[in-house]
Amino acid sequence: MNDENEQSEEKTEAAGSFEELISGIETEMNAERLHKQGAYAVTAARISGTVLTEAMASGVPHDLAKEMAGDTWNAIMGLSPVEYVQTDSEL
């Protein structure tokens, strides 16, 4: 009977160790993924800012330059473009 209890305890300990190992790996991978996503967003912001700055320096009107930078951000981040609908008050 003692042998069965010892084997059961060993299995429980092994399962616990495995769960701890998997949990640790998962936490590490999530942290790495978050870090990569943050770096990607910072790079996208820099590129979008450069588009805005260069467009304005080239004489593009501010509103159009902002739209260009926004389109760049959306494209880099994989977001669908926002369609601009002109209202009667804007005509």
Side-chain angles (χ1 to χ4, degrees):
M1 190 81 153
N2 276 342
D3 288 338
E4 289 177 15
N5 287 340
E6 287 178 15
Q7 287 177 349
S8 178
E9 287 176 13
E10 287 175 7
K11 286 181 184 178
T12 302
E13 287 177 18
S17 298
F18 180 74
E19 291 299 322
E20 289 173 13
L21 176 66
I22 295 299
S23 175
I25 291 171
E26 180 182 21
T27 300
E28 187 176 319
M29 289 177 70
N30 285 338
E32 288 177 20
R33 181 180 50 82
L34 184 60
H35 179 76
K36 286 179 183 178
Q37 286 176 332
Y40 191 76
V42 168
T43 301
R46 287 180 179 160
I47 293 169
S48 298
T50 300
V51 168
L52 176 66
T53 302
E54 292 297 322
M56 290 179 58
S58 298
V60 174
H62 180 70
D63 287 342
L64 180 56
K66 274 179 38 180
E67 190 174 326
M68 291 168 61
D71 289 346
T72 301
W73 168 266
N74 288 338
I76 293 171
M77 297 305 289
L79 304 172
S80 59
V82 177
E83 301 230 358
Y84 179 73
V85 178
Q86 207 170 26
T87 63
D88 290 336
S89 65
E90 295 174 319
L91 295 175

